[in-house]
């Protein structure tokens, strides 16, 4: 199994699914994209291979015509190196992440002292939206959750009756689970909640028979994932057209 490609596929399949459920997904020969003008996420345009200049010109026209900021991710795998090409076309890097994976067949986790509740209705989707915005500083609209929670596990973490953070788990295929959007609200940070959430999610994935967990880590979260046994796979850079920053 090519875990790098499965990691990226889990992420792009999640974007595709969420966009499709609100009729905001477009498929092209060189790239796919989704634009939801009332939400800060997914709003991604991603190239399937190293783009030609004509592909970049088309992508720039689409991005420039949108009132919503669209992020262009770039993965350094298989010798792809079109970062300089993006820069030459007016894109600027706004975020760098590390793709990571964990072999669940060689890991062991116990459920931690934290409750993970799935979003299942408008009330819980609104709560998830609010907690996520507090944790990350941008908005994922609850309408996206309402249209996809049957296929994506949007999770709210509780310490007793108090909500402390969010996450989502997306299962692609029969072997890979992606863990995304894990964040703790500011007033509850540095209390060990993120590690407890991860332990509980990984325990659940193992019990369901999944072999690998994948994610994309910021610099802030990488220490925790290293501690849990995740290994680095690739570098992921996120670009935005400079005029849209």
């Amino acid at each position: 199994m090519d875990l790098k490609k499965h990691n990226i596929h889990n992420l792009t399949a999640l974007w595709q699914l969420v966009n499709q459920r609100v009729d905001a997904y477009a498929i092209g020969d060189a790239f796919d994209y989704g634009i939801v003008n009332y939400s800060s996420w997914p709003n991604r345009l991603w190239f399937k291979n190293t783009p030609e200049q004509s592909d970049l010109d088309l992508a720039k026209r689409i991005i420039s015509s949108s009132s919503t900021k669209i992020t262009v991710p770039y993965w350094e795998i298989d010798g792809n190196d079109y970062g300089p090409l993006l820069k030459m076309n007016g894109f600027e890097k706004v975020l760098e992440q590390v793709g990571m994976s964990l072999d669940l067949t060689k890991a062991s986790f116990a459920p931690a002292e934290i409750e993970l509740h799935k979003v299942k209705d408008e009330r819980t989707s609104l709560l998830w939206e609010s907690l996520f915005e507090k944790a990350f500083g941008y908005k994922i609209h609850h309408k996206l959750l309402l249209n996809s929670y049957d296929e994506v596990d949007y999770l709210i973490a509780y310490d007793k009756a108090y909500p402390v953070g969010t996450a989502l788990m997306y299962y692609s295929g029969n072997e890979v689970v992606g863990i995304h959007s894990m964040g703790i609200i500011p007033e509850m940070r540095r209390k060990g909640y993120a590690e407890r959430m991860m332990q509980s999610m990984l325990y659940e994935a193992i019990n369901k028979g999944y072999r690998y967990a994948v994610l994309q880590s910021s610099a802030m979260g990488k220490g925790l994932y290293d501690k849990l046994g995740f290994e680095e796979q690739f570098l992921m850079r996120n670009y935005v057209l400079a005029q849209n920053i």
Side-chain angles (χ1 to χ4, degrees):
M1 171 181 285
D2 188 335
L3 267 180
K4 292 180 181 180
K5 291 184 177 179
H6 276 274
N7 189 331
I8 294 168
H9 171 74
N10 181 274
L11 182 60
T12 58
L14 173 63
W15 296 337
Q16 177 180 344
L17 170 68
V18 173
N19 279 303
Q20 283 178 329
R21 294 298 172 267
V22 292
D23 297 320
Y25 185 63
I27 300 174
D29 293 331
F31 57 81
D32 293 355
Y33 66 93
I35 303 174
V36 182
N37 57 21
Y38 51 83
S39 179
S40 301
W41 178 92
N43 299 327
R44 297 290 192 276
L45 182 153
W46 60 98
F47 291 99
K48 299 174 183 179
N49 295 292
T50 300
E52 302 290 339
Q53 184 59 49
S54 58
D55 304 324
L56 281 161
D57 290 340
L58 177 58
K60 288 164 65 176
R61 286 198 295 273
I62 291 170
I63 292 170
S64 297
S65 66
S66 173
S67 60
T68 302
K69 184 171 77 174
I70 301 172
T71 302
V72 178
Y74 158 58
W75 301 277
E76 288 191 357
I77 66 168
D78 295 341
N80 286 342
D81 186 16
Y82 54 89
L85 186 58
L86 290 172
K87 292 178 182 178
M88 287 174 53
N89 278 270
F91 289 89
E92 294 185 8
K93 185 177 70 176
V94 292
L95 176 65
E96 192 166 280
Q97 296 167 286
V98 178
M100 307 185 77
S101 67
L102 175 64
D103 186 340
L104 296 175
T105 66
K106 300 177 182 178
S108 178
F109 296 94
E113 293 181 1
I114 197 166
E115 295 182 19
L116 298 178
H117 294 185
K118 294 180 183 179
V119 166
K120 58 183 180 180
D121 52 31
E122 185 168 16
R123 180 188 66 81
T124 51
S125 68
L126 282 165
L127 176 58
W128 195 98
E129 176 190 283
S130 174
L131 293 167
F132 179 90
E133 190 166 8
K134 287 181 182 178
F136 288 93
Y138 65 94
K139 184 175 183 176
I140 295 181
H141 200 281
H142 70 278
K143 180 181 177 181
L144 302 181
L145 280 64
L146 286 173
N147 281 276
S148 59
Y149 69 73
D150 286 339
E151 297 163 281
V152 180
D153 288 349
Y154 297 98
L155 304 173
I156 300 172
Y158 288 85
D159 183 359
K160 299 181 175 62
Y162 193 85
V164 300
T166 65
L168 74 80
M169 299 176 72
Y170 180 60
Y171 298 90
S172 54
N174 298 317
E175 298 185 289
V176 177
V177 57
I179 296 175
H180 310 279
S181 302
M182 192 187 75
I184 306 299
I185 57 177
E187 63 268 30
M188 301 305 291
R189 289 173 183 164
R190 292 177 290 279
K191 299 178 185 288
Y193 289 122
E195 183 171 356
R196 279 181 265 174
M197 286 177 67
M198 284 297 300
Q199 288 174 343
S200 292
M201 287 187 286
L202 294 170
Y203 173 80
E204 179 177 340
I206 291 171
N207 275 0
K208 287 184 175 180
Y210 282 80
R211 294 186 59 196
Y212 301 100
V214 298
L215 52 80
Q216 301 79 41
S217 174
S218 65
M220 183 173 67
K222 187 174 179 297
L224 169 60
Y225 304 132
D226 287 336
K227 179 181 177 181
L228 293 170
F230 281 82
E231 297 181 352
E232 294 186 32
Q233 294 180 286
F234 55 83
L235 194 64
M236 174 177 170
R237 295 189 173 104
N238 297 278
Y239 288 84
V240 173
L241 195 60
Q243 66 191 55
N244 287 22
I245 293 178

